[in-house]
């Protein structure tokens, strides 16, 4: 399966758009992704942005549609689990945002403290980075794209 992402308009900045009514939400729980449907996986809609206590991570937009990710500590009873491999076959935009969400969530979890001095870090409001106020170290996420070469 080959995908052409040039067909879509991507904006991966950290600027959350004002209108999130058409948002797509990727909810992860213990390495799997959640859906409202038991029959097949699909992203959650903007309704879910107000349903969890955990903080959402804004991933960017595709074709002016905002994407958010969340890593849940508990699985809601009304959502069903799917493997990321199964869910990622929906379309290329979804797969790319799912991958980005998983990697940014992992980075955020593993960079709560400075890798240089051990002090607590704080998230930047303007870019995907964590800053250490103690030693001024800045740490950026490592996004690992996956490609297949013929």
């Amino acid at each position: 399966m080959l995908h052409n992402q040039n067909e879509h308009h991507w904006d991966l900045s950290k600027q959350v758009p004002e209108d999130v009514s058409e948002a797509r939400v990727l909810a992860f729980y213990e390495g799997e992704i959640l859906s409202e449907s038991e029959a097949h996986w699909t992203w959650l809609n903007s309704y879910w942005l107000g349903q969890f206590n955990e903080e959402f991570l804004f991933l960017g937009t595709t074709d002016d549609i905002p994407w958010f990710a969340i890593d849940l500590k508990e699985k809601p009873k009304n959502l069903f689990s799917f493997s990321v491999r199964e869910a990622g076959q929906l379309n290329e935009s979804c797969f790319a945002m799912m991958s980005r969400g998983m990697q940014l969530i992992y980075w955020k979890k593993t960079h709560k403290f400075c890798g240089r001095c051990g002090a607590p870090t704080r998230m930047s409001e303007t870019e995907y980075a964590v800053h250490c106020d103690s030693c001024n170290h800045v740490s950026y996420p490592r996004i690992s794209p996956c490609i297949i070469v013929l």
Side-chain angles (χ1 to χ4, degrees):
M1 173 179 352
L2 297 174
H3 297 293
N4 183 3
Q5 292 186 348
N6 293 331
E7 296 174 2
H8 303 282
H9 176 260
W10 292 74
D11 181 0
L12 301 179
S13 68
K14 201 169 177 187
Q15 182 64 39
V16 179
E18 288 183 29
D19 181 14
V20 295
S21 61
E22 297 297 317
R24 296 177 179 176
V25 177
L26 303 173
F28 296 95
Y29 174 72
E30 292 186 353
E32 295 196 318
I33 192 158
L34 305 178
S35 176
E36 289 180 291
S37 170
E38 186 175 13
H40 65 281
W41 182 85
T42 186
W43 54 78
L44 303 176
N45 61 31
S46 61
Y47 161 80
W48 291 94
L49 290 173
Q51 301 305 308
F52 302 116
N53 291 330
E54 288 92 346
E55 182 182 351
F56 281 91
L57 189 59
F58 177 64
L59 303 177
T61 64
T62 57
D63 300 327
D64 297 323
I65 297 171
W67 289 78
F68 293 86
I70 188 168
D71 188 36
L72 298 172
K73 292 177 182 67
E74 294 182 22
K75 181 178 170 267
K77 295 185 187 328
N78 55 342
L79 295 180
F80 301 93
S81 297
F82 287 84
S83 73
V84 173
R85 179 180 292 252
E86 181 182 0
Q89 295 179 17
L90 188 62
N91 66 49
E92 77 267 14
S93 296
C94 187
F95 174 77
M97 284 302 191
M98 199 178 299
S99 174
R100 181 175 172 80
M102 289 173 56
Q103 292 176 60
L104 286 173
I105 286 170
Y106 177 79
W107 166 75
K108 188 175 175 186
K109 277 185 189 177
T110 59
H111 286 78
K112 292 180 180 181
F113 298 94
C114 179
R116 185 185 293 163
C117 73
T121 59
R122 64 177 171 80
M123 291 289 294
S124 170
E125 293 182 18
T126 58
E127 62 182 344
Y128 290 104
V130 290
H131 296 268
C132 175
D133 292 329
S134 179
C135 70
N136 291 322
H137 179 68
V138 179
S139 184
Y140 296 94
R142 187 177 99 187
I143 304 297
S144 304
C146 178
I147 64 168
I148 299 172
V149 179
L150 296 176

